Amino acid sequence: MSHLSQFSYQPIGILRSPYTRRIDAPHQGTVVEGTESGQPALATMELAEWLDEQVVQDLSGFERVWLIFAFHLSEGWKKVVKPPRGGPKRGVLATRSPHRPNAIGLTAVELVAIEGRRLQLRGVDLLDGTPVLDIKPYVPYADAFPDARAGWIDELDARQGRNSAPGPKKPR
């Protein structure tokens, strides 16, 4: 019998992004077709006051970092969701939907620079004001599995082209 616990986390910083509305942000940070600039977005994150800047010591040599964040504007979740690339509804845990049982997300972004307590980032798909819960360095030998199977996404790639993804949603 397992024991379920509740956890609470304190953000290590707040992301400042050019995206203020969900319809403006790309579905993935590397898919920027249809965004206003058509370029990977620049963003900044300043460390929370309760953290000493030594926590980012030695991070500057990494080209990419993982951001673990809270979907702070999520309005609940659904067990099945319609992926933006089309097809039938899928189990939420088989998607990257923000509408999850726990409103947390993970994204890999480019670390452009560290200036004291501020990180300059590129390639974000997060909204302005997103609470960042943690940062971990991207380590290619441990984090990249280019030949891994991707389930139903592989089937979509076969029909629509590899790595195809929609741009941001258009206003109605």
Side-chain angles (χ1 to χ4, degrees), residues 1-162:
M1 184 168 140
S2 70
H3 176 73
L4 298 178
S5 299
Q6 287 198 350
F7 302 93
S8 73
Y9 299 97
Q10 187 174 2
I12 65 166
I14 302 297
L15 188 92
R16 294 296 166 204
S17 155
Y19 304 126
T20 57
R21 303 174 308 162
R22 284 185 57 212
I23 62 170
D24 297 328
H27 293 282
Q28 304 295 327
T30 56
V31 182
V32 294
E33 184 179 334
T35 61
E36 193 172 321
S37 72
Q39 299 295 316
L42 293 171
T44 61
M45 191 205 84
E46 183 137 359
L47 290 174
E49 290 182 13
W50 60 273
L51 288 171
D52 186 286
E53 73 180 65
Q54 284 185 314
V55 300
V56 293
Q57 181 178 312
D58 303 312
L59 192 59
S60 62
F62 290 88
E63 184 175 331
R64 294 192 159 273
V65 293
W66 292 105
L67 299 182
I68 300 166
F69 60 92
F71 284 110
H72 66 298
L73 300 178
S74 180
E75 298 175 350
W77 67 281
K78 299 174 182 167
K79 60 186 174 185
V80 293
V81 295
K82 186 102 169 131
R85 290 176 65 188
K89 286 188 173 187
R90 306 284 181 174
V92 70
L93 298 182
T95 74
R96 294 184 170 199
S97 170
H99 309 293
R100 314 186 71 72
N102 288 306
I104 57 173
L106 172 72
T107 191
V109 299
E110 183 183 348
L111 177 60
V112 176
I114 300 173
E115 301 160 352
R117 306 176 55 77
R118 180 171 297 186
L119 281 68
Q120 299 290 337
L121 308 167
R122 182 174 20 243
V124 300
D125 53 354
L126 306 179
L127 298 180
D128 188 56
T130 296
V132 176
L133 304 176
D134 203 357
I135 295 172
K136 296 188 183 292
Y138 178 91
V139 181
Y141 79 84
D143 294 343
F145 303 94
D147 297 325
R149 291 185 315 277
W152 61 269
I153 293 174
D154 286 341
E155 296 168 19
L156 274 179
D157 284 350
R159 289 195 306 272
Q160 298 178 0
R162 186 157 174 81

